[in-house]
Every structure is written in C-alpha cells, then in structure tokens.
Amino acid sequence: MLTKYEPVILFSIRKLAICAGLFLMCLHSFAQEFTFSGKKQRQSIQFRCIKNLIIIPVYVNDKGPYDFVLDTGVGPMIITEPSIIDTLNFNLMRKIRLSGLGLETVDAYVSQNVEARIGRAKIKHIPTAILKEDLFNLSGHLGVKIYGLIGYSFFNSFIVDIRYSENRIIFSDLDSHVKYRGSKVPITIENLKPYVDVEVEIPDSGKISTRFLMDTGASHALSMEMLNGAAFPLPEKRIKANLGMSLSGQIKGYVGRVKTFHLGKYAFSDVVAGFPDFESISKKIDLSFRNGNLGAEILRKFDVQFNYQEKFMYLKPNNFAKVPFQHDMVGMVVYLDQDQYKRVIIGEIDEGSPAEKAGLCPNDQIIGVNFKSIDAYSLNDLTEMFKSKADRVVIFEVFRDNQVLFKVVRLEKRI
C-alpha cells in the first residue's frame, strides 16, 4: 500500500504532464520571458547535481532561494510546496486536471500571478501549476528539500550552457555573442519540450531512426517507450523491475541494455535502458511526439548548450563521457522520510535481487552502512555505491520491528 512517503518513481523521476491545452492557452497572454535587469547579458551560477539532476536556487515572489529541479521535461513551472506562496486561496484559483506516467489524474491549480527569479534574471506571470502536496516526493527521493520544477520559460529565454563537468550553468541573452563548443545537433520544440532525432540498434531490426524527449529531469539514461505504435523489442538479457510507483500501484517493466545509441556524431554502447509496460504508459502519456525519453545519465556526459529559439544544441564530451553505464546492483530504492527525523527507508525491492536474497524488506530503516552511521552518507552516495562494482559486499544495519539486524548484500551485475 502506497504511503505518502513512498517514492513516486524508482528508476527515474517523471513529471506530471499538463494534459489540458486550455491551461497553456489561458496563460499565453500573461506569459513573459526571463530578462536581465540593466545591461546585464550573461550570468553564471553553480548548481548541485544529485542523482544526475540539476538543482538550482530559485526566488519565488521575491522570497527564497528555494531549490528547484531545472528540467527540460516540463513546460509550465510546477510548484510542489505551496507554502512558499503567500495568501494562496485555492478556492479562487483555476483548477485543472493533471496526469502523467505513474500517476492517476489529480487536481492542480493555475496561478497567473507568480514571479520567479534565477540569478539576476526575472520573469513576471510565469505559467505555473501548483500542487497542494508533493506528489512526486522529490525531496524524499533526492534527500534535499525540493520546492518545484522549472523548465521551458527559462530555456526559451536564453542560450543555456549546462556544464555538467563544472556543475555550472551560463545563461546568455539571445542576442548576445556566444561561442559554441563541440558538435551541433538539431532539436525540435513540441508542446514546450525539446526532442532530438537519434539512432538506436535493436534486436532483429539493426539501426533505426527514432525521436526522444531530452529530459534533464530524468535521472536515467534511456526509457524505451514506443516503436511503430507498439512496445520496443526487449533485449535478450533483461530483468524485471519496478520502474515506477503510481497512486494506485506499481508500473512494471524491464531493465536491459541497448547495444548502440547514436546522438549526433557520438555513439554509446551497452546503454542501460528501461522498458516500461507499453499498455500502462500508452494510457498515461502522449507518445505521439516521441519513441522514448533521453535522460540525464546520457546528457551529463556532455557540456550542453541549448538554443531553443534557433532549434539546435551543441554537445561537447566531458570527463564523464567514457564512464560506463551501470545499473543498480542492489535492486532496491531508498528514500528519506522527511517527517520522521530524516530516516532513510527502504522502498520497493526488485524480485530476485541481491537485496531480496539478503533478507532486506520494504519499510526497513537503514541506520548504518559498512559499520558507519547512515548520517555519514547522502542518498546520492548510496546510489553511487549501489552501482559501483560487482561482487562488492555492502553490510546494512537496519531497524525492523524494534530490532537491529545486520544484512550482507553482495552487489550483482544482473544485465
């Protein structure tokens, strides 16, 4: 049974999709662009990279800063913590229906009176959807307090240079002189989101052309969602996995590897990919624009310059480019229970995984790892440890039913 603290997404973070086009049309006349004050044309800010996601400080209505995910996969800004906006009266706000992979349709509220500021760049009347509660559980998943997601309005206002190698973003006015670095790749903007044409090699079909959503707000490498109106062919070597959690249950699927993946002139081999159940996702999200989702596990291998207005990006490989793709070798998700003294809790456990074999259980509280207090680790540290090396032994100290137990897990490369 899903509690309010269980992670909404296990394999990656997915967003609610604004399913009412009316919402965007209603706000179009109010929407503006981010602009710098004075003669400022360019700014550089640092970001934190947690589980491949970009966390930036955002001021909302001149208050903050609040940590937001910078996310090419969202159109309107989404606020997941409504307390940051004063004098909210939901009864006076327009209510819309939202849906997305892993979530049943839920209510959200539209505001036409939200200002946002990133660095010295400000926007008035930014299209905003406000949730009454954090249905994503982003804070629990990332281990830091997250207040929302911001995407299209920022990327559409500037030339945005994401330097994953430096944890830095440089954003420049559209008419300023920018030196592009690397290789130019065309992109398409549909429904406020960027798409790129790529080639993938799949069983029995060889290399095929596909279109993927570029999603800095998804921590995975690839999600293979649809091919020729049906499911992607599954790789021969695969494991069953819980790819996500909805308000009414799990999203099932498989994790395997894509033999080759071509992005522009760059090629990657043995890419870890999720293959969600097609029947489930085709009812939840609009797949008419895409075959899949290209996440930050691939994007972070480049320093990326986005130019939405002219519909291209530049990719320059960085020091992450040659790091091999690894899947979680423990087979479980852990999350931070924000309301219970920041306890680290085990969520879903994959069937037949090393975690299940070791006797770990959902809802176990992790109080130590390798004889160190859990306080010595961030969730990001644990994620990297779980993908680190096959046959590595990890000793968990857990609290269950008023008992302290030790469980020994041997990491296993399952795909």
Side-chain angles (χ1 to χ4, degrees):
M1 184 177 190
L2 179 64
T3 69
K4 65 180 289 189
Y5 305 113
E6 284 184 292
V8 172
I9 291 296
L10 309 182
F11 179 63
S12 68
I13 294 180
R14 303 224 182 216
K15 281 73 57 184
L16 291 171
I18 304 299
C19 62
L22 179 62
F23 167 47
L24 297 179
M25 291 188 287
C26 289
L27 291 184
H28 179 74
S29 60
F30 293 91
Q32 302 176 5
E33 302 298 326
F34 276 94
T35 56
F36 286 118
S37 58
K39 297 182 180 180
K40 186 80 173 180
Q41 287 189 313
R42 180 178 294 124
Q43 187 172 6
S44 171
I45 63 172
Q46 295 295 127
F47 66 84
R48 286 186 290 170
C49 190
I50 303 177
K51 296 189 178 182
N52 296 333
L53 305 188
I54 298 169
I55 312 299
I56 62 169
V58 177
Y59 289 82
V60 177
N61 290 348
D62 290 324
K63 293 188 176 183
Y66 304 108
D67 282 337
F68 272 61
V69 176
L70 183 62
D71 187 350
T72 54
V74 298
M77 183 168 76
I78 299 175
I79 291 177
T80 57
E81 179 51 69
S83 64
I84 67 176
I85 299 181
D86 293 334
T87 64
L88 266 182
N89 186 341
F90 287 106
N91 292 326
L92 299 178
M93 299 174 71
R94 181 188 299 274
K95 184 165 70 172
I96 60 172
R97 306 290 284 175
L98 302 180
S99 65
L101 178 57
L103 287 170
E104 300 302 316
T105 301
V106 297
D107 292 336
Y109 297 82
V110 174
S111 175
Q112 300 172 350
N113 297 301
V114 176
E115 295 183 0
R117 178 166 63 85
I118 298 174
R120 294 187 179 91
K122 178 179 278 191
I123 183 173
K124 295 184 177 180
H125 307 300
I126 182 171
T128 304
I130 302 170
L131 306 181
K132 280 190 171 182
E133 60 180 310
D134 182 7
L135 298 174
F136 304 116
N137 193 22
L138 288 174
S139 300
H141 183 87
L142 297 179
V144 297
K145 184 64 176 178
I146 300 295
Y147 292 85
L149 307 95
I150 191 166
Y152 175 79
S153 295
F154 179 73
F155 284 97
N156 195 52
S157 300
F158 301 111
I159 299 166
V160 180
D161 185 348
I162 301 177
R163 300 194 179 183
Y164 282 100
S165 59
E166 304 172 15
N167 283 0
R168 185 160 66 102
I169 296 173
I170 302 170
F171 47 104
S172 309
D173 278 342
L174 296 169
D175 57 357
S176 61
H177 176 71
V178 171
K179 182 179 179 179
Y180 290 102
R181 304 174 305 136
S183 175
K184 186 177 182 179
V185 178
I187 64 175
T188 302
I189 308 297
E190 298 282 358
N191 288 345
L192 313 185
K193 299 174 185 179
Y195 296 82
V196 62
D197 292 331
V198 299
E199 291 185 329
V200 295
E201 189 171 342
I202 62 174
D204 302 323
S205 298
K207 191 184 296 184
I208 61 172
S209 297
T210 55
R211 175 165 291 185
F212 277 62
L213 169 67
M214 288 189 297
D215 195 349
T216 62
S219 58
H220 60 230
L222 294 174
S223 177
M224 316 298 285
E225 296 168 349
M226 184 270 290
L227 183 64
N228 298 326
F232 255 97
L234 292 172
E236 182 177 349
K237 191 172 184 179
R238 59 187 184 266
I239 56 173
K240 288 185 177 180
N242 297 312
L243 302 182
M245 178 68 74
S246 75
L247 296 180
S248 60
Q250 301 166 354
I251 293 177
K252 299 289 188 179
Y254 294 89
V255 173
R257 291 183 183 268
V258 172
K259 185 175 181 180
T260 59
F261 178 84
H262 297 263
L263 176 58
K265 70 177 186 179
Y266 304 104
F268 298 95
S269 301
D270 296 324
V271 183
V272 173
F275 294 80
D277 178 72
F278 177 75
E279 293 300 321
S280 296
I281 66 168
S282 61
K283 297 175 182 176
K284 299 285 186 181
I285 56 176
D286 182 5
L287 296 177
S288 58
F289 295 107
R290 76 199 211 203
N291 300 102
N293 181 293
L294 191 166
E297 180 72 10
I298 285 181
L299 291 174
R300 73 188 293 265
K301 294 179 179 294
F302 302 94
D303 291 341
V304 188
Q305 293 169 289
F306 285 105
N307 188 326
Y308 274 29
Q309 293 291 321
E310 297 188 38
K311 297 181 175 57
F312 64 78
M313 64 179 174
Y314 270 77
L315 300 175
K316 182 181 179 181
N318 58 31
N319 54 319
F320 299 118
K322 294 185 179 180
V323 176
F325 295 94
Q326 293 293 4
H327 177 53
D328 163 33
M329 299 185 201
V330 173
M332 70 181 186
V333 66
V334 297
Y335 65 98
L336 196 65
D337 185 342
Q338 299 270 348
D339 291 352
Q340 293 290 330
Y341 309 104
K342 295 188 176 180
R343 300 183 308 156
V344 177
I345 305 296
I346 296 176
E348 289 297 314
I349 295 178
D350 290 344
E351 180 182 343
S353 67
E356 184 182 70
K357 294 174 184 176
L360 290 168
C361 297
N363 300 318
D364 282 351
Q365 178 187 350
I366 301 175
I367 57 178
V369 177
N370 289 342
F371 304 108
K372 292 182 182 179
S373 169
I374 193 62
D375 295 334
Y377 303 92
S378 68
L379 291 188
N380 204 55
D381 293 335
L382 296 177
T383 298
E384 292 303 312
M385 181 188 295
F386 295 170
K387 298 191 297 183
S388 59
K389 185 180 179 181
D391 293 325
R392 177 179 182 176
V393 171
V394 180
I395 301 172
F396 291 90
E397 184 179 0
V398 300
F399 185 73
R400 180 198 304 166
D401 297 332
N402 295 318
Q403 294 182 349
V404 175
L405 306 172
F406 288 88
K407 301 293 182 181
V408 179
V409 176
R410 185 177 297 274
L411 272 58
E412 179 184 340
K413 188 173 181 179
R414 296 177 287 157
I415 55 171

